[in-house]
């Protein structure tokens, strides 16, 4: 069994085919949650799961579960997968690699007639990215009881379309009841989305945990006024205040190194006219840290600095926290299964903590969980320039195969 390997060509072809859905002219993908592109990706994935003999279920959040039977029919399943939704200007590996590698594990076991003791469950979670509907990791958050389903249904995108209405529009409001108790463990293969593995020339990241993540929505309100005759000293310029807060966010990130990141990724100016002083600016803040206390200090610093900037500029501030994911450690047993699989295949590996959030972060609160990273070119992700090599994708999928087999057990008769 140790010599079992996935069909690398089939995995790579699947990634190429999936990457055609939502493909952008610059060679990336735009497949945001619950768009027609997301629907097409889901339909393709489900067709492949059925071809592989899986029984497919869809829950009320649109999470897709594809089960391969094990000898112990009703035992909790070893689950693996990731997400198919993407950022607006994304690459074709973030999420899709994990989903298709998990499907490739099933296909490989089918090819070789391997019967596992535990069933396997290939899962694609709804709205991992959180860019169209915030917060991120929404489907896995509802599944693990971290997020309230009705509140998530009511979240709206910038056009005012709600998550619930869009889920129904694409036909993925499932009625299957899937409980977290039906799963034994979670394994997720993902590109690193940072520079460490590539810089070191290491093939596999044995991921031992993930940084914490706190998201905030801010609205700074001043007063629209004419850009010409309004005296400089009499303005209530919301964009000037917001710009000062953006600079403060960067300072807060730098002041809490090592292990911190701080980002303003989205900003909307109203009325957004070149000859009108902006009266209102809405923007987002993303704070992350590997240490919970330091992350709380970053939040305090944001609140203090934003309030003092707005007071000094005679502006109103509305600051709301919309996500608070603490730093976490993955299960030592599952991490050992990943490490053992990489070592047994003679792959170079190193332990590391994820700087990005993943569905595994929610699953880890309820199940033994681990992740596997492979390098990505230049450490770049959430970009149309995202890229990974065929060789690294195949190596990562083979590590996933053997980590899953270690956890699921192989029936003696095989
Ligand atoms: O934001 C994240 O870390 C993830 O990519 N959604
Ligand atoms: Mn991802
Ligand atoms: Mn992502």
């Amino acid at each position: 069994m140790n010599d079992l390997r996935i069909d690398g060509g089939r995995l790579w072809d699947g990634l190429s085919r999936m990457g055609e859905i939502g493909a952008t002219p610059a060679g990336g993908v735009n497949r945001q949650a619950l768009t027609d592109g997301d629907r097409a990706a889901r339909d393709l994935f489900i067709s492949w799961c059925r071809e592989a003999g899986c029984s497919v279920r869809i829950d009320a959040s649109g999470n897709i579960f594809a089960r391969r039977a094990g000898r112990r029919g009703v035992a909790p399943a070893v689950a693996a997968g990731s997400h198919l939704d993407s950022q607006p200007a994304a690459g074709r590996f973030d999420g899709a690699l994990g989903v298709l590698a998990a499907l490739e594990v099933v296909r490989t076991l089918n090819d070789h007639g391997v019967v596992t003791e535990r069933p396997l469950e290939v899962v694609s979670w709804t709205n991992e990215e959180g860019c169209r509907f915030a917060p991120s990791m929404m489907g896995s958050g509802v599944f693990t009881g971290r997020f309230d389903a009705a509140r998530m249904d009511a979240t709206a995108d910038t056009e005012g379309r709600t998550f619930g209405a869009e889920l129904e529009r694409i036909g993925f409001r499932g009625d299957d009841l899937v409980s977290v108790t039906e799963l034994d463990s979670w394994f997720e293969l993902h590109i690193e989305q940072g520079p460490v593995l590539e810089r070191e020339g290491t093939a596999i990241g044995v991921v031992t945990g993930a940084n914490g993540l706190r998201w905030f929505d801010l609205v700074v309100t001043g007063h629209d006024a004419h850009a010409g005759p309004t005296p400089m000293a009499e303005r209530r310029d919301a964009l000037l205040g917001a710009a000062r807060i953006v600079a403060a966010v960067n300072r807060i990130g730098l002041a809490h190194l090592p292990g911190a990141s701080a980002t303003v990724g989205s900003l909307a100016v109203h009325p957004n006219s070149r000859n009108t002083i902006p009266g209102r600016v809405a923007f987002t803040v993303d704070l992350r840290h590997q240490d919970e206390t330091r992350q709380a200090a970053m939040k305090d610093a944001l609140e203090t600095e934003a309030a003092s900037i707005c007071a000094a500029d005679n502006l109103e501030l509305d600051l709301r926290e919309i996500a608070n994911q603490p730093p976490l450690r993955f299960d030592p047993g599952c991490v050992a299964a990943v490490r053992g699989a990489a070592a047994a295949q003679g792959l170079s590996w190193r332990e590391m903590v994820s700087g990005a959030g993943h569905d595994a972060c929610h699953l880890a609160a309820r199940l033994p969980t681990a992740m596997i990273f492979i390098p990505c070119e230049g450490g770049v992700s959430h970009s149309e320039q995202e890229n990974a090599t065929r060789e690294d994708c195949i190596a990562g999928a083979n590590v996933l195969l053997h980590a899953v087999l270690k956890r699921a057990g192989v029936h003696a008769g095989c």
Side-chain angles (χ1 to χ4, degrees), residues 148-362:
D148 171 71
R151 252 195 70 217
M152 297 301 112
D153 270 2
T155 58
D157 66 11
T158 51
E159 316 284 322
R161 286 169 297 197
T162 65
F163 177 92
E166 284 292 280
L167 187 66
E168 271 139 32
R169 183 184 69 80
I170 68 166
F172 273 90
R173 170 81 75 191
D175 49 20
D176 292 308
L177 295 176
V178 186
S179 160
V180 65
T181 58
E182 295 179 49
L183 304 183
D184 160 76
S185 50
W186 175 253
F187 291 90
E188 184 166 355
L189 170 64
H190 208 286
I191 51 172
E192 177 198 340
Q193 301 181 298
V196 172
L197 292 174
E198 187 191 51
R199 209 164 277 171
E200 285 184 357
T202 303
I204 298 292
V206 178
V207 189
T208 56
N211 281 3
L213 166 156
R214 296 185 82 155
W215 279 8
F216 304 86
D217 284 345
L218 289 83
V219 179
V220 171
T221 307
H223 199 291
D224 301 358
H226 199 301
T230 309
M232 290 300 282
E234 296 172 26
R235 297 171 173 220
R236 295 181 61 214
D237 183 339
L239 184 51
L240 180 61
R244 288 176 168 147
I245 295 172
V246 171
V249 166
N250 182 260
R251 281 199 307 275
I252 290 167
L254 294 171
H256 288 81
L257 289 174
S261 62
T263 313
V264 173
S266 166
L267 182 141
V269 180
H270 177 82
N272 206 30
S273 160
R274 70 177 66 241
N275 49 357
T276 298
I277 300 164
R280 191 174 76 248
V281 174
F283 58 108
T284 62
V285 174
D286 175 318
L287 301 178
R288 305 193 190 204
H289 209 286
Q290 51 195 328
D291 175 274
E292 195 160 7
T293 309
R294 302 274 289 155
Q295 190 175 11
M298 292 172 80
K299 171 187 183 272
D300 295 345
L302 170 67
E303 289 173 340
T304 307
E305 293 225 29
S308 75
I309 286 165
C310 289
D313 289 2
N314 187 20
L315 298 169
E316 283 141 46
L317 172 67
D318 179 78
L319 186 156
R320 295 167 197 233
E321 181 164 33
I322 63 161
N324 178 1
Q325 171 73 36
L328 57 91
R329 312 274 311 152
F330 289 141
D331 172 76
C334 288
V335 170
V338 170
R339 186 172 45 238
Q345 296 178 49
L347 296 165
S348 56
W349 59 271
R350 61 110 77 203
E351 293 195 351
M352 60 197 304
V353 171
S354 174
H358 299 282
D359 293 306
C361 298
H362 285 319

Side-chain angles (χ1 to χ4, degrees), residues 99-120:
V99 173
L100 299 184
L103 175 59
E104 178 53 34
V105 166
V106 165
R107 288 165 158 171
T108 300
L109 299 180
N110 291 347
D111 292 348
H112 296 270
V114 175
V115 176
T116 53
E117 288 294 326
R118 289 185 176 280
L120 305 187

Side-chain angles (χ1 to χ4, degrees), residues 83 85-87 90 94-95 128-129 190 193 356-358 381-382 386:
H83 60 93
D85 67 298
S86 82
Q87 289 281 327
D94 178 356
E128 189 278 341
E129 294 293 355
H190 208 286
Q193 301 181 298
H358 299 282
S381 182
H382 285 196
E386 176 187 286

